[in-house]
Structure formats: C-alpha cells, structure tokens
Amino acid sequence: MEVDPQVFETWKKLYMRWGKADRSARKARSETTVALIKCLFGTGIPPTVTQLDRTRELECTADRLRSEMDAKILSLLPLEPWQSTDLS
C-alpha cells in the first residue's frame, strides 16, 4: 500500500502535538489529584477552579488531537464502498 508522504507528515506532526498535550494533561491531573488528597487529610489546600478548568482543557485537547490522529490513519485505509467509519 502506497502512503501519501504529506498525509504521513501530517500524522507525525499530530502525534508529536498529542504527545506533548497528553503529558501535560497527565501531569495536571496528577497534581490535581495530589492536591485533593492533601486537602482531604488536612495537609494542603484544594485546587482552585482555574486549576481544575485548566486540567479539563488539557485533557480535552489531548482527546481531540487523538481523534484527529485516528481520522488521519483511517484516511490512509482503502475502504470498500459498503464500509463506513463513524468517528463520533
């Protein structure tokens, strides 16, 4: 199967962006979880609403980029007319 180099390059860029976004989201989620546990045991302050919103935003960005990567991969596959792909 011949792969269009432009499509492959686009996928590689998406993969690099997703990797960074995923690492940031995981780090933010970890820090938020630690803050919540410390608060529970009375040794720290709870995360702010801004921190929680930022964590959610990072996770949504990582999920969106992952969906775009999946769509790019699926666009490389030769699908039969009777096959359909639902990415929602």
Side-chain angles (χ1 to χ4, degrees):
M1 180 173 109
E2 187 66 29
V3 176
D4 181 6
Q6 185 176 6
V7 172
F8 184 68
E9 286 300 317
T10 302
W11 182 85
K12 282 185 358 182
K13 288 177 186 176
L14 282 170
Y15 182 79
M16 289 186 334
R17 287 178 53 207
W18 169 79
K20 290 177 184 176
D22 188 57
R23 278 190 302 277
S24 295
R26 287 176 186 253
K27 182 179 179 201
R29 173 58 58 203
S30 176
E31 290 170 355
T32 301
T33 302
V34 168
L36 286 170
I37 291 171
K38 285 182 178 181
C39 176
L40 177 70
F41 288 102
T43 61
I45 58 172
T48 64
V49 172
T50 304
Q51 288 171 312
L52 294 171
D53 286 344
R54 179 70 178 143
T55 299
R56 184 183 52 79
E57 182 182 307
L58 288 169
E59 289 173 335
C60 288
T61 299
D63 289 345
R64 181 184 49 79
L65 289 170
R66 182 59 197 222
S67 293
E68 288 178 23
M69 284 173 31
D70 292 346
K72 229 7 128 176
I73 289 172
L74 289 173
S75 73
L76 298 174
L77 300 175
L79 297 177
E80 297 294 324
W82 54 270
Q83 292 175 311
S84 66
T85 305
D86 182 16
L87 296 177
S88 58

